[in-house]
mmCIF file of all heavy atoms in Angstrom:
data_model
loop_
_atom_site.group_PDB
_atom_site.id
_atom_site.type_symbol
_atom_site.label_atom_id
_atom_site.label_comp_id
_atom_site.label_asym_id
_atom_site.label_seq_id
_atom_site.Cartn_x
_atom_site.Cartn_y
_atom_site.Cartn_z
ATOM 1 N N MET A 1 101.993 -125.119 48.674
ATOM 2 C CA MET A 1 101.099 -124.084 49.141
ATOM 3 C C MET A 1 100.528 -124.424 50.516
ATOM 4 O O MET A 1 100.371 -123.560 51.341
ATOM 5 C CB MET A 1 99.978 -123.896 48.118
ATOM 6 C CG MET A 1 99.094 -122.733 48.424
ATOM 7 S SD MET A 1 100.026 -121.223 48.232
ATOM 8 C CE MET A 1 98.780 -120.040 48.513
ATOM 9 N N ALA A 2 100.235 -125.680 50.753
ATOM 10 C CA ALA A 2 99.686 -126.077 52.047
ATOM 11 C C ALA A 2 100.688 -125.829 53.163
ATOM 12 O O ALA A 2 100.318 -125.464 54.273
ATOM 13 C CB ALA A 2 99.270 -127.540 52.021
ATOM 14 N N VAL A 3 101.989 -126.015 52.872
ATOM 15 C CA VAL A 3 103.013 -125.772 53.879
ATOM 16 C C VAL A 3 103.058 -124.298 54.230
ATOM 17 O O VAL A 3 103.148 -123.933 55.390
ATOM 18 C CB VAL A 3 104.389 -126.263 53.375
ATOM 19 C CG1 VAL A 3 105.492 -125.811 54.298
ATOM 20 C CG2 VAL A 3 104.381 -127.765 53.236
ATOM 21 N N THR A 4 102.930 -123.428 53.231
ATOM 22 C CA THR A 4 102.967 -121.990 53.475
ATOM 23 C C THR A 4 101.797 -121.561 54.354
ATOM 24 O O THR A 4 101.978 -120.803 55.294
ATOM 25 C CB THR A 4 102.926 -121.225 52.142
ATOM 26 O OG1 THR A 4 104.009 -121.659 51.337
ATOM 27 C CG2 THR A 4 103.043 -119.734 52.367
ATOM 28 N N VAL A 5 100.621 -122.054 54.068
ATOM 29 C CA VAL A 5 99.463 -121.695 54.877
ATOM 30 C C VAL A 5 99.654 -122.195 56.308
ATOM 31 O O VAL A 5 99.354 -121.488 57.259
ATOM 32 C CB VAL A 5 98.168 -122.261 54.249
ATOM 33 C CG1 VAL A 5 96.986 -122.049 55.162
ATOM 34 C CG2 VAL A 5 97.923 -121.623 52.892
ATOM 35 N N SER A 6 100.192 -123.382 56.461
ATOM 36 C CA SER A 6 100.438 -123.915 57.799
ATOM 37 C C SER A 6 101.468 -123.075 58.552
ATOM 38 O O SER A 6 101.305 -122.826 59.745
ATOM 39 C CB SER A 6 100.929 -125.362 57.705
ATOM 40 O OG SER A 6 99.953 -126.164 57.118
ATOM 41 N N LEU A 7 102.517 -122.651 57.880
ATOM 42 C CA LEU A 7 103.520 -121.819 58.540
ATOM 43 C C LEU A 7 102.944 -120.463 58.914
ATOM 44 O O LEU A 7 103.255 -119.925 59.973
ATOM 45 C CB LEU A 7 104.745 -121.646 57.644
ATOM 46 C CG LEU A 7 105.638 -122.872 57.515
ATOM 47 C CD1 LEU A 7 106.773 -122.606 56.542
ATOM 48 C CD2 LEU A 7 106.192 -123.273 58.863
ATOM 49 N N VAL A 8 102.107 -119.912 58.058
ATOM 50 C CA VAL A 8 101.469 -118.636 58.383
ATOM 51 C C VAL A 8 100.597 -118.795 59.621
ATOM 52 O O VAL A 8 100.624 -117.954 60.522
ATOM 53 C CB VAL A 8 100.643 -118.114 57.180
ATOM 54 C CG1 VAL A 8 99.735 -116.975 57.586
ATOM 55 C CG2 VAL A 8 101.560 -117.687 56.054
ATOM 56 N N ALA A 9 99.848 -119.891 59.679
ATOM 57 C CA ALA A 9 99.011 -120.128 60.855
ATOM 58 C C ALA A 9 99.871 -120.323 62.101
ATOM 59 O O ALA A 9 99.552 -119.792 63.178
ATOM 60 C CB ALA A 9 98.128 -121.349 60.619
ATOM 61 N N LEU A 10 100.966 -121.058 61.975
ATOM 62 C CA LEU A 10 101.863 -121.290 63.107
ATOM 63 C C LEU A 10 102.464 -119.980 63.605
ATOM 64 O O LEU A 10 102.454 -119.688 64.800
ATOM 65 C CB LEU A 10 102.973 -122.267 62.714
ATOM 66 C CG LEU A 10 104.038 -122.519 63.775
ATOM 67 C CD1 LEU A 10 103.426 -123.251 64.960
ATOM 68 C CD2 LEU A 10 105.183 -123.310 63.194
ATOM 69 N N PHE A 11 102.995 -119.173 62.686
ATOM 70 C CA PHE A 11 103.594 -117.902 63.084
ATOM 71 C C PHE A 11 102.538 -116.952 63.641
ATOM 72 O O PHE A 11 102.817 -116.169 64.547
ATOM 73 C CB PHE A 11 104.344 -117.258 61.923
ATOM 74 C CG PHE A 11 105.640 -117.944 61.600
ATOM 75 C CD1 PHE A 11 105.968 -118.259 60.297
ATOM 76 C CD2 PHE A 11 106.534 -118.285 62.588
ATOM 77 C CE1 PHE A 11 107.150 -118.896 59.988
ATOM 78 C CE2 PHE A 11 107.724 -118.925 62.294
ATOM 79 C CZ PHE A 11 108.028 -119.230 60.993
ATOM 80 N N GLY A 12 101.329 -117.019 63.106
ATOM 81 C CA GLY A 12 100.250 -116.206 63.649
ATOM 82 C C GLY A 12 99.916 -116.586 65.081
ATOM 83 O O GLY A 12 99.701 -115.715 65.933
ATOM 84 N N LEU A 13 99.887 -117.890 65.355
ATOM 85 C CA LEU A 13 99.625 -118.346 66.723
ATOM 86 C C LEU A 13 100.746 -117.931 67.672
ATOM 87 O O LEU A 13 100.492 -117.499 68.798
ATOM 88 C CB LEU A 13 99.456 -119.860 66.747
ATOM 89 C CG LEU A 13 98.100 -120.374 66.303
ATOM 90 C CD1 LEU A 13 98.119 -121.899 66.197
ATOM 91 C CD2 LEU A 13 97.027 -119.928 67.266
ATOM 92 N N VAL A 14 101.982 -118.077 67.224
ATOM 93 C CA VAL A 14 103.114 -117.665 68.066
ATOM 94 C C VAL A 14 103.033 -116.171 68.358
ATOM 95 O O VAL A 14 103.215 -115.733 69.505
ATOM 96 C CB VAL A 14 104.457 -118.030 67.396
ATOM 97 C CG1 VAL A 14 105.622 -117.386 68.118
ATOM 98 C CG2 VAL A 14 104.625 -119.537 67.342
ATOM 99 N N LEU A 15 102.732 -115.385 67.344
ATOM 100 C CA LEU A 15 102.607 -113.944 67.525
ATOM 101 C C LEU A 15 101.464 -113.617 68.488
ATOM 102 O O LEU A 15 101.602 -112.768 69.366
ATOM 103 C CB LEU A 15 102.375 -113.277 66.171
ATOM 104 C CG LEU A 15 102.401 -111.761 66.120
ATOM 105 C CD1 LEU A 15 103.729 -111.235 66.622
ATOM 106 C CD2 LEU A 15 102.144 -111.295 64.708
ATOM 107 N N PHE A 16 100.346 -114.326 68.359
ATOM 108 C CA PHE A 16 99.209 -114.117 69.258
ATOM 109 C C PHE A 16 99.606 -114.398 70.705
ATOM 110 O O PHE A 16 99.306 -113.608 71.608
ATOM 111 C CB PHE A 16 98.039 -115.015 68.841
ATOM 112 C CG PHE A 16 96.913 -115.034 69.825
ATOM 113 C CD1 PHE A 16 96.033 -113.966 69.912
ATOM 114 C CD2 PHE A 16 96.747 -116.111 70.689
ATOM 115 C CE1 PHE A 16 94.997 -113.982 70.835
ATOM 116 C CE2 PHE A 16 95.713 -116.136 71.599
ATOM 117 C CZ PHE A 16 94.833 -115.057 71.679
ATOM 118 N N PHE A 17 100.277 -115.526 70.948
ATOM 119 C CA PHE A 17 100.644 -115.874 72.314
ATOM 120 C C PHE A 17 101.726 -114.948 72.873
ATOM 121 O O PHE A 17 101.749 -114.673 74.071
ATOM 122 C CB PHE A 17 101.072 -117.336 72.414
ATOM 123 C CG PHE A 17 99.900 -118.277 72.345
ATOM 124 C CD1 PHE A 17 99.797 -119.185 71.314
ATOM 125 C CD2 PHE A 17 98.894 -118.231 73.294
ATOM 126 C CE1 PHE A 17 98.714 -120.043 71.235
ATOM 127 C CE2 PHE A 17 97.816 -119.088 73.235
ATOM 128 C CZ PHE A 17 97.714 -119.991 72.201
ATOM 129 N N LEU A 18 102.614 -114.457 72.032
ATOM 130 C CA LEU A 18 103.601 -113.480 72.503
ATOM 131 C C LEU A 18 102.920 -112.183 72.910
ATOM 132 O O LEU A 18 103.291 -111.560 73.905
ATOM 133 C CB LEU A 18 104.655 -113.215 71.424
ATOM 134 C CG LEU A 18 105.690 -114.304 71.224
ATOM 135 C CD1 LEU A 18 106.570 -113.981 70.022
ATOM 136 C CD2 LEU A 18 106.537 -114.483 72.467
ATOM 137 N N LEU A 19 101.926 -111.768 72.132
ATOM 138 C CA LEU A 19 101.179 -110.567 72.492
ATOM 139 C C LEU A 19 100.391 -110.784 73.781
ATOM 140 O O LEU A 19 100.328 -109.911 74.643
ATOM 141 C CB LEU A 19 100.221 -110.170 71.363
ATOM 142 C CG LEU A 19 100.850 -109.494 70.160
ATOM 143 C CD1 LEU A 19 99.847 -109.388 69.039
ATOM 144 C CD2 LEU A 19 101.367 -108.128 70.544
ATOM 145 N N ARG A 20 99.777 -111.946 73.904
ATOM 146 C CA ARG A 20 98.951 -112.238 75.070
ATOM 147 C C ARG A 20 99.787 -112.311 76.353
ATOM 148 O O ARG A 20 99.336 -111.889 77.413
ATOM 149 C CB ARG A 20 98.211 -113.546 74.852
ATOM 150 C CG ARG A 20 97.205 -113.834 75.909
ATOM 151 C CD ARG A 20 96.398 -115.044 75.547
ATOM 152 N NE ARG A 20 95.602 -115.457 76.661
ATOM 153 C CZ ARG A 20 94.286 -115.374 76.697
ATOM 154 N NH1 ARG A 20 93.643 -114.926 75.651
ATOM 155 N NH2 ARG A 20 93.632 -115.761 77.751
ATOM 156 N N SER A 21 101.001 -112.844 76.248
ATOM 157 C CA SER A 21 101.854 -112.954 77.430
ATOM 158 C C SER A 21 102.653 -111.678 77.688
ATOM 159 O O SER A 21 103.480 -111.647 78.585
ATOM 160 C CB SER A 21 102.814 -114.135 77.277
ATOM 161 O OG SER A 21 103.753 -113.861 76.259
ATOM 162 N N LYS A 22 102.402 -110.664 76.900
ATOM 163 C CA LYS A 22 103.067 -109.365 77.027
ATOM 164 C C LYS A 22 104.582 -109.455 76.816
ATOM 165 O O LYS A 22 105.336 -108.640 77.329
ATOM 166 C CB LYS A 22 102.742 -108.722 78.365
ATOM 167 C CG LYS A 22 101.269 -108.609 78.656
ATOM 168 C CD LYS A 22 100.901 -107.239 79.054
ATOM 169 C CE LYS A 22 99.511 -107.153 79.610
ATOM 170 N NZ LYS A 22 98.435 -107.225 78.752
ATOM 171 N N SER A 23 105.012 -110.484 76.059
ATOM 172 C CA SER A 23 106.426 -110.602 75.710
ATOM 173 C C SER A 23 106.761 -109.755 74.495
ATOM 174 O O SER A 23 107.922 -109.539 74.183
ATOM 175 C CB SER A 23 106.779 -112.059 75.406
ATOM 176 O OG SER A 23 106.581 -112.861 76.537
ATOM 177 N N LEU A 24 105.719 -109.310 73.825
ATOM 178 C CA LEU A 24 105.887 -108.543 72.600
ATOM 179 C C LEU A 24 104.811 -107.478 72.577
ATOM 180 O O LEU A 24 103.637 -107.773 72.791
ATOM 181 C CB LEU A 24 105.743 -109.472 71.385
ATOM 182 C CG LEU A 24 105.956 -108.899 70.006
ATOM 183 C CD1 LEU A 24 107.433 -108.576 69.814
ATOM 184 C CD2 LEU A 24 105.543 -109.904 68.955
ATOM 185 N N GLY A 25 105.209 -106.248 72.305
ATOM 186 C CA GLY A 25 104.235 -105.161 72.263
ATOM 187 C C GLY A 25 103.512 -105.111 70.926
ATOM 188 O O GLY A 25 103.915 -105.737 69.944
ATOM 189 N N TYR A 26 102.428 -104.346 70.892
ATOM 190 C CA TYR A 26 101.645 -104.225 69.661
ATOM 191 C C TYR A 26 102.442 -103.558 68.537
ATOM 192 O O TYR A 26 102.315 -103.926 67.383
ATOM 193 C CB TYR A 26 100.358 -103.444 69.923
ATOM 194 C CG TYR A 26 99.376 -104.223 70.755
ATOM 195 C CD1 TYR A 26 99.138 -103.889 72.077
ATOM 196 C CD2 TYR A 26 98.711 -105.312 70.213
ATOM 197 C CE1 TYR A 26 98.250 -104.613 72.843
ATOM 198 C CE2 TYR A 26 97.819 -106.041 70.968
ATOM 199 C CZ TYR A 26 97.588 -105.690 72.281
ATOM 200 O OH TYR A 26 96.705 -106.419 73.030
ATOM 201 N N GLY A 27 103.265 -102.601 68.886
ATOM 202 C CA GLY A 27 104.086 -101.929 67.870
ATOM 203 C C GLY A 27 105.074 -102.891 67.234
ATOM 204 O O GLY A 27 105.236 -102.913 66.011
ATOM 205 N N ALA A 28 105.724 -103.709 68.050
ATOM 206 C CA ALA A 28 106.682 -104.685 67.528
ATOM 207 C C ALA A 28 105.973 -105.744 66.688
ATOM 208 O O ALA A 28 106.512 -106.197 65.678
ATOM 209 C CB ALA A 28 107.442 -105.340 68.674
ATOM 210 N N ALA A 29 104.765 -106.133 67.095
ATOM 211 C CA ALA A 29 104.003 -107.107 66.312
ATOM 212 C C ALA A 29 103.629 -106.527 64.954
ATOM 213 O O ALA A 29 103.696 -107.212 63.928
ATOM 214 C CB ALA A 29 102.747 -107.526 67.065
ATOM 215 N N PHE A 30 103.240 -105.275 64.927
ATOM 216 C CA PHE A 30 102.902 -104.613 63.668
ATOM 217 C C PHE A 30 104.120 -104.540 62.754
ATOM 218 O O PHE A 30 104.031 -104.808 61.559
ATOM 219 C CB PHE A 30 102.351 -103.210 63.947
ATOM 220 C CG PHE A 30 101.982 -102.460 62.712
ATOM 221 C CD1 PHE A 30 100.828 -102.780 62.018
ATOM 222 C CD2 PHE A 30 102.791 -101.446 62.235
ATOM 223 C CE1 PHE A 30 100.487 -102.101 60.864
ATOM 224 C CE2 PHE A 30 102.456 -100.754 61.087
ATOM 225 C CZ PHE A 30 101.301 -101.081 60.403
ATOM 226 N N ILE A 31 105.270 -104.210 63.316
ATOM 227 C CA ILE A 31 106.511 -104.149 62.538
ATOM 228 C C ILE A 31 106.871 -105.530 62.006
ATOM 229 O O ILE A 31 107.260 -105.687 60.848
ATOM 230 C CB ILE A 31 107.662 -103.571 63.394
ATOM 231 C CG1 ILE A 31 107.362 -102.141 63.798
ATOM 232 C CG2 ILE A 31 108.995 -103.677 62.665
ATOM 233 C CD1 ILE A 31 107.248 -101.170 62.646
ATOM 234 N N ALA A 32 106.741 -106.573 62.835
ATOM 235 C CA ALA A 32 107.064 -107.936 62.403
ATOM 236 C C ALA A 32 106.143 -108.382 61.278
ATOM 237 O O ALA A 32 106.594 -108.977 60.291
ATOM 238 C CB ALA A 32 106.955 -108.904 63.586
ATOM 239 N N ALA A 33 104.853 -108.102 61.397
ATOM 240 C CA ALA A 33 103.900 -108.475 60.353
ATOM 241 C C ALA A 33 104.175 -107.701 59.072
ATOM 242 O O ALA A 33 104.140 -108.261 57.973
ATOM 243 C CB ALA A 33 102.479 -108.236 60.830
ATOM 244 N N GLY A 34 104.460 -106.424 59.200
ATOM 245 C CA GLY A 34 104.780 -105.615 58.024
ATOM 246 C C GLY A 34 106.053 -106.075 57.342
ATOM 247 O O GLY A 34 106.135 -106.145 56.111
ATOM 248 N N PHE A 35 107.071 -106.414 58.137
ATOM 249 C CA PHE A 35 108.317 -106.914 57.574
ATOM 250 C C PHE A 35 108.080 -108.201 56.797
ATOM 251 O O PHE A 35 108.568 -108.370 55.687
ATOM 252 C CB PHE A 35 109.333 -107.152 58.691
ATOM 253 C CG PHE A 35 110.616 -107.768 58.209
ATOM 254 C CD1 PHE A 35 111.519 -107.015 57.482
ATOM 255 C CD2 PHE A 35 110.917 -109.092 58.474
ATOM 256 C CE1 PHE A 35 112.697 -107.585 57.030
ATOM 257 C CE2 PHE A 35 112.083 -109.657 58.031
ATOM 258 C CZ PHE A 35 112.989 -108.905 57.307
ATOM 259 N N GLY A 36 107.307 -109.117 57.369
ATOM 260 C CA GLY A 36 106.999 -110.371 56.681
ATOM 261 C C GLY A 36 106.229 -110.141 55.400
ATOM 262 O O GLY A 36 106.475 -110.788 54.380
ATOM 263 N N PHE A 37 105.281 -109.215 55.438
ATOM 264 C CA PHE A 37 104.486 -108.903 54.258
ATOM 265 C C PHE A 37 105.359 -108.361 53.132
ATOM 266 O O PHE A 37 105.271 -108.812 51.987
ATOM 267 C CB PHE A 37 103.398 -107.887 54.615
ATOM 268 C CG PHE A 37 102.571 -107.458 53.455
ATOM 269 C CD1 PHE A 37 101.577 -108.281 52.959
ATOM 270 C CD2 PHE A 37 102.775 -106.228 52.856
ATOM 271 C CE1 PHE A 37 100.803 -107.888 51.882
ATOM 272 C CE2 PHE A 37 102.015 -105.824 51.789
ATOM 273 C CZ PHE A 37 101.019 -106.656 51.296
ATOM 274 N N PHE A 38 106.219 -107.406 53.452
ATOM 275 C CA PHE A 38 107.069 -106.817 52.422
ATOM 276 C C PHE A 38 108.191 -107.754 51.995
ATOM 277 O O PHE A 38 108.617 -107.734 50.848
ATOM 278 C CB PHE A 38 107.622 -105.471 52.885
ATOM 279 C CG PHE A 38 106.576 -104.402 52.909
ATOM 280 C CD1 PHE A 38 106.167 -103.841 54.096
ATOM 281 C CD2 PHE A 38 105.972 -103.978 51.741
ATOM 282 C CE1 PHE A 38 105.182 -102.874 54.124
ATOM 283 C CE2 PHE A 38 104.991 -103.005 51.754
ATOM 284 C CZ PHE A 38 104.598 -102.454 52.947
ATOM 285 N N LEU A 39 108.673 -108.598 52.889
ATOM 286 C CA LEU A 39 109.699 -109.572 52.543
ATOM 287 C C LEU A 39 109.169 -110.573 51.529
ATOM 288 O O LEU A 39 109.894 -111.015 50.642
ATOM 289 C CB LEU A 39 110.195 -110.294 53.793
ATOM 290 C CG LEU A 39 111.330 -111.292 53.603
ATOM 291 C CD1 LEU A 39 112.587 -110.562 53.115
ATOM 292 C CD2 LEU A 39 111.615 -112.014 54.890
ATOM 293 N N ALA A 40 107.889 -110.908 51.633
ATOM 294 C CA ALA A 40 107.276 -111.876 50.717
ATOM 295 C C ALA A 40 107.240 -111.361 49.277
ATOM 296 O O ALA A 40 107.179 -112.151 48.343
ATOM 297 C CB ALA A 40 105.875 -112.218 51.179
ATOM 298 N N SER A 41 107.300 -110.063 49.087
ATOM 299 C CA SER A 41 107.235 -109.511 47.739
ATOM 300 C C SER A 41 108.622 -109.247 47.146
ATOM 301 O O SER A 41 108.730 -108.696 46.056
ATOM 302 C CB SER A 41 106.405 -108.224 47.736
ATOM 303 O OG SER A 41 107.039 -107.234 48.504
ATOM 304 N N THR A 42 109.679 -109.649 47.839
ATOM 305 C CA THR A 42 111.031 -109.445 47.331
ATOM 306 C C THR A 42 111.575 -110.727 46.721
ATOM 307 O O THR A 42 110.924 -111.770 46.752
ATOM 308 C CB THR A 42 111.984 -109.000 48.466
ATOM 309 O OG1 THR A 42 112.125 -110.065 49.394
ATOM 310 C CG2 THR A 42 111.485 -107.754 49.154
ATOM 311 N N GLY A 43 112.770 -110.654 46.218
ATOM 312 C CA GLY A 43 113.430 -111.823 45.659
ATOM 313 C C GLY A 43 113.840 -112.832 46.723
ATOM 314 O O GLY A 43 114.175 -113.975 46.408
ATOM 315 N N ALA A 44 113.815 -112.431 47.976
ATOM 316 C CA ALA A 44 114.186 -113.343 49.066
ATOM 317 C C ALA A 44 113.094 -114.356 49.373
ATOM 318 O O ALA A 44 113.340 -115.330 50.076
ATOM 319 C CB ALA A 44 114.507 -112.537 50.324
ATOM 320 N N ALA A 45 111.898 -114.147 48.863
ATOM 321 C CA ALA A 45 110.775 -115.038 49.178
ATOM 322 C C ALA A 45 111.027 -116.463 48.682
ATOM 323 O O ALA A 45 110.716 -117.430 49.379
ATOM 324 C CB ALA A 45 109.482 -114.495 48.583
ATOM 325 N N GLY A 46 111.585 -116.605 47.496
ATOM 326 C CA GLY A 46 111.854 -117.932 46.937
ATOM 327 C C GLY A 46 112.817 -118.752 47.782
ATOM 328 O O GLY A 46 112.491 -119.874 48.190
ATOM 329 N N PRO A 47 114.008 -118.208 48.082
ATOM 330 C CA PRO A 47 114.939 -118.955 48.929
ATOM 331 C C PRO A 47 114.411 -119.233 50.334
ATOM 332 O O PRO A 47 114.675 -120.294 50.903
ATOM 333 C CB PRO A 47 116.177 -118.055 48.991
ATOM 334 C CG PRO A 47 116.111 -117.236 47.763
ATOM 335 C CD PRO A 47 114.646 -117.027 47.496
ATOM 336 N N ILE A 48 113.642 -118.317 50.897
ATOM 337 C CA ILE A 48 113.072 -118.540 52.228
ATOM 338 C C ILE A 48 112.067 -119.687 52.175
ATOM 339 O O ILE A 48 112.055 -120.545 53.056
ATOM 340 C CB ILE A 48 112.426 -117.250 52.764
ATOM 341 C CG1 ILE A 48 113.514 -116.225 53.081
ATOM 342 C CG2 ILE A 48 111.580 -117.532 54.009
ATOM 343 C CD1 ILE A 48 112.997 -114.850 53.410
ATOM 344 N N ASN A 49 111.238 -119.718 51.137
ATOM 345 C CA ASN A 49 110.282 -120.821 50.978
ATOM 346 C C ASN A 49 111.007 -122.149 50.774
ATOM 347 O O ASN A 49 110.594 -123.177 51.313
ATOM 348 C CB ASN A 49 109.325 -120.559 49.815
ATOM 349 C CG ASN A 49 108.272 -119.537 50.167
ATOM 350 O OD1 ASN A 49 107.942 -119.344 51.323
ATOM 351 N ND2 ASN A 49 107.748 -118.876 49.150
ATOM 352 N N GLN A 50 112.086 -122.142 50.001
ATOM 353 C CA GLN A 50 112.860 -123.364 49.773
ATOM 354 C C GLN A 50 113.503 -123.841 51.080
ATOM 355 O O GLN A 50 113.534 -125.042 51.361
ATOM 356 C CB GLN A 50 113.922 -123.131 48.710
ATOM 357 C CG GLN A 50 113.348 -122.942 47.323
ATOM 358 C CD GLN A 50 114.409 -122.549 46.316
ATOM 359 O OE1 GLN A 50 115.561 -122.286 46.667
ATOM 360 N NE2 GLN A 50 114.024 -122.499 45.049
ATOM 361 N N LEU A 51 114.019 -122.913 51.866
ATOM 362 C CA LEU A 51 114.630 -123.269 53.150
ATOM 363 C C LEU A 51 113.583 -123.858 54.096
ATOM 364 O O LEU A 51 113.833 -124.880 54.749
ATOM 365 C CB LEU A 51 115.285 -122.040 53.787
ATOM 366 C CG LEU A 51 115.881 -122.245 55.174
ATOM 367 C CD1 LEU A 51 117.049 -123.227 55.120
ATOM 368 C CD2 LEU A 51 116.322 -120.930 55.766
ATOM 369 N N ALA A 52 112.414 -123.229 54.169
ATOM 370 C CA ALA A 52 111.349 -123.736 55.037
ATOM 371 C C ALA A 52 110.915 -125.131 54.595
ATOM 372 O O ALA A 52 110.708 -126.018 55.426
ATOM 373 C CB ALA A 52 110.160 -122.776 55.031
ATOM 374 N N THR A 53 110.801 -125.346 53.290
ATOM 375 C CA THR A 53 110.421 -126.658 52.772
ATOM 376 C C THR A 53 111.482 -127.698 53.104
ATOM 377 O O THR A 53 111.168 -128.826 53.496
ATOM 378 C CB THR A 53 110.206 -126.591 51.249
ATOM 379 O OG1 THR A 53 109.202 -125.605 50.975
ATOM 380 C CG2 THR A 53 109.766 -127.916 50.694
ATOM 381 N N ALA A 54 112.760 -127.325 52.971
ATOM 382 C CA ALA A 54 113.846 -128.257 53.284
ATOM 383 C C ALA A 54 113.851 -128.626 54.766
ATOM 384 O O ALA A 54 114.054 -129.790 55.119
ATOM 385 C CB ALA A 54 115.186 -127.646 52.883
ATOM 386 N N VAL A 55 113.612 -127.658 55.628
ATOM 387 C CA VAL A 55 113.583 -127.925 57.063
ATOM 388 C C VAL A 55 112.415 -128.841 57.406
ATOM 389 O O VAL A 55 112.559 -129.797 58.176
ATOM 390 C CB VAL A 55 113.521 -126.603 57.865
ATOM 391 C CG1 VAL A 55 113.208 -126.855 59.326
ATOM 392 C CG2 VAL A 55 114.817 -125.827 57.720
ATOM 393 N N ILE A 56 111.254 -128.562 56.819
ATOM 394 C CA ILE A 56 110.081 -129.391 57.089
ATOM 395 C C ILE A 56 110.303 -130.812 56.584
ATOM 396 O O ILE A 56 109.970 -131.789 57.261
ATOM 397 C CB ILE A 56 108.824 -128.762 56.462
ATOM 398 C CG1 ILE A 56 108.455 -127.490 57.234
ATOM 399 C CG2 ILE A 56 107.656 -129.743 56.445
ATOM 400 C CD1 ILE A 56 107.417 -126.641 56.565
ATOM 401 N N ASP A 57 110.900 -130.957 55.403
ATOM 402 C CA ASP A 57 111.200 -132.292 54.874
ATOM 403 C C ASP A 57 112.192 -133.023 55.769
ATOM 404 O O ASP A 57 112.079 -134.223 56.004
ATOM 405 C CB ASP A 57 111.737 -132.204 53.447
ATOM 406 C CG ASP A 57 110.665 -131.823 52.456
ATOM 407 O OD1 ASP A 57 109.464 -131.993 52.764
ATOM 408 O OD2 ASP A 57 111.022 -131.347 51.354
ATOM 409 N N ALA A 58 113.195 -132.294 56.284
ATOM 410 C CA ALA A 58 114.191 -132.909 57.166
ATOM 411 C C ALA A 58 113.541 -133.372 58.476
ATOM 412 O O ALA A 58 113.875 -134.440 58.992
ATOM 413 C CB ALA A 58 115.323 -131.923 57.447
ATOM 414 N N ILE A 59 112.629 -132.568 59.013
ATOM 415 C CA ILE A 59 111.943 -132.953 60.252
ATOM 416 C C ILE A 59 111.093 -134.189 60.026
ATOM 417 O O ILE A 59 111.044 -135.082 60.880
ATOM 418 C CB ILE A 59 111.097 -131.781 60.771
ATOM 419 C CG1 ILE A 59 112.013 -130.668 61.273
ATOM 420 C CG2 ILE A 59 110.148 -132.231 61.880
ATOM 421 C CD1 ILE A 59 111.294 -129.378 61.629
ATOM 422 N N GLN A 60 110.454 -134.286 58.866
ATOM 423 C CA GLN A 60 109.621 -135.439 58.569
ATOM 424 C C GLN A 60 110.453 -136.709 58.409
ATOM 425 O O GLN A 60 109.970 -137.803 58.677
ATOM 426 C CB GLN A 60 108.795 -135.206 57.300
ATOM 427 C CG GLN A 60 107.708 -134.185 57.479
ATOM 428 C CD GLN A 60 106.956 -133.905 56.191
ATOM 429 O OE1 GLN A 60 107.331 -134.369 55.126
ATOM 430 N NE2 GLN A 60 105.890 -133.132 56.301
ATOM 431 N N GLN A 61 111.697 -136.583 57.986
ATOM 432 C CA GLN A 61 112.578 -137.745 57.804
ATOM 433 C C GLN A 61 113.098 -138.282 59.129
ATOM 434 O O GLN A 61 113.532 -139.418 59.202
ATOM 435 C CB GLN A 61 113.758 -137.376 56.902
ATOM 436 C CG GLN A 61 113.384 -136.970 55.499
ATOM 437 C CD GLN A 61 112.748 -138.112 54.728
ATOM 438 O OE1 GLN A 61 113.092 -139.259 54.918
ATOM 439 N NE2 GLN A 61 111.803 -137.781 53.866
ATOM 440 N N VAL A 62 113.078 -137.470 60.165
ATOM 441 C CA VAL A 62 113.613 -137.866 61.472
ATOM 442 C C VAL A 62 112.689 -138.758 62.193
ATOM 443 O O VAL A 62 111.713 -139.164 62.178
ATOM 444 C CB VAL A 62 113.906 -136.633 62.349
ATOM 445 C CG1 VAL A 62 114.264 -137.033 63.757
ATOM 446 C CG2 VAL A 62 115.008 -135.832 61.731
#
């Protein structure tokens, strides 16, 4: 659970800086946030969480 909260904070910061640098419009940010929200409620959420955990574990081993 702590990894998920950290990733949410990380992606939130990236989204904030993309909006601030005008690399991403508000409409696209809304769509990205909505997509993530709805993706989390599908069957794809489990494999995505497992993949993120595996990547984080691999980075820690390096």
Side-chain angles (χ1 to χ4, degrees):
M1 187 67 176
V3 170
T4 303
V5 173
S6 298
L7 287 177
V8 167
L10 176 67
F11 287 133
L13 281 173
V14 169
L15 188 58
F16 171 76
F17 285 118
L18 285 174
L19 283 170
R20 188 173 170 112
S21 68
K22 306 231 191 285
S23 298
L24 183 70
Y26 290 107
F30 180 75
I31 297 297
F35 176 73
F37 177 77
F38 288 114
L39 183 64
S41 65
T42 66
I48 291 171
N49 284 335
Q50 290 173 353
L51 176 65
T53 303
V55 168
I56 290 169
D57 288 340
I59 290 172
Q60 290 176 352
Q61 297 296 326
V62 172

